Amino acid sequence: MGRARLDHAAVGYRHPPPSALYAVTCLDAHQTSPADLATAIRGHWEVENSSHHIRDVTFAEDASTVHTGTAPRAMATLRNLAIGVLKTLGADNIAKTTQAIRDHPERALPLLGTTNNPDPHGT
């Protein structure tokens, strides 16, 4: 377990309360420095916050009324799948791409490698 001081001034706070961050790692003290560990933690939270921001702002996840059983996890999985597919295909702006698909839903199936062209022979 390690302890690190948060530099609130670096993230824009003027008068922060004293605080510390505790982290659990499998690394020994000689394997990393406190600065490198702090960089890794910030990197993790940057990705985590970015992902949450996309899910909340683009897909309104926090406003979801799905709360029972496994439905919330299933919906989160579908949101993450949509985000992952769009990022894999090179979408720079997930919100803009999602709006384009919403406005033209026929664009969604080719992204998943399928089409809505039924075989006239029934096979």
Side-chain angles (χ1 to χ4, degrees):
M1 168 129 41
R3 181 174 185 257
R5 299 290 295 167
L6 295 178
D7 183 0
H8 287 85
V11 292
Y13 294 107
R14 285 190 212 166
H15 303 289
S19 61
L21 170 73
Y22 292 89
V24 177
T25 178
C26 61
L27 297 173
D28 291 330
H30 69 276
Q31 290 179 297
T32 189
S33 70
D36 289 341
L37 188 57
T39 298
I41 292 168
R42 278 192 304 274
H44 165 79
W45 283 108
E46 181 178 314
V47 170
E48 183 68 23
N49 288 337
S50 171
S51 175
H52 177 75
H53 178 77
I54 291 169
R55 287 195 325 260
D56 188 31
V57 173
T58 303
F59 294 100
E61 184 174 67
D62 287 348
S64 175
T65 58
V66 177
H67 300 293
T68 59
T70 58
R73 182 174 292 193
M75 291 303 298
T77 300
L78 291 171
R79 290 180 193 105
N80 288 336
L81 173 65
I83 293 166
V85 166
L86 295 177
K87 284 185 174 182
T88 299
L89 294 173
D92 293 327
N93 186 326
I94 300 297
K96 185 176 179 181
T97 305
T98 301
Q99 289 169 357
I101 292 169
R102 180 198 64 211
D103 294 342
H104 300 282
E106 67 276 5
R107 294 179 177 178
L109 293 177
L111 294 176
L112 299 173
T114 187
T115 62
N116 189 22
N117 297 329
D119 184 349
H121 303 290
T123 57

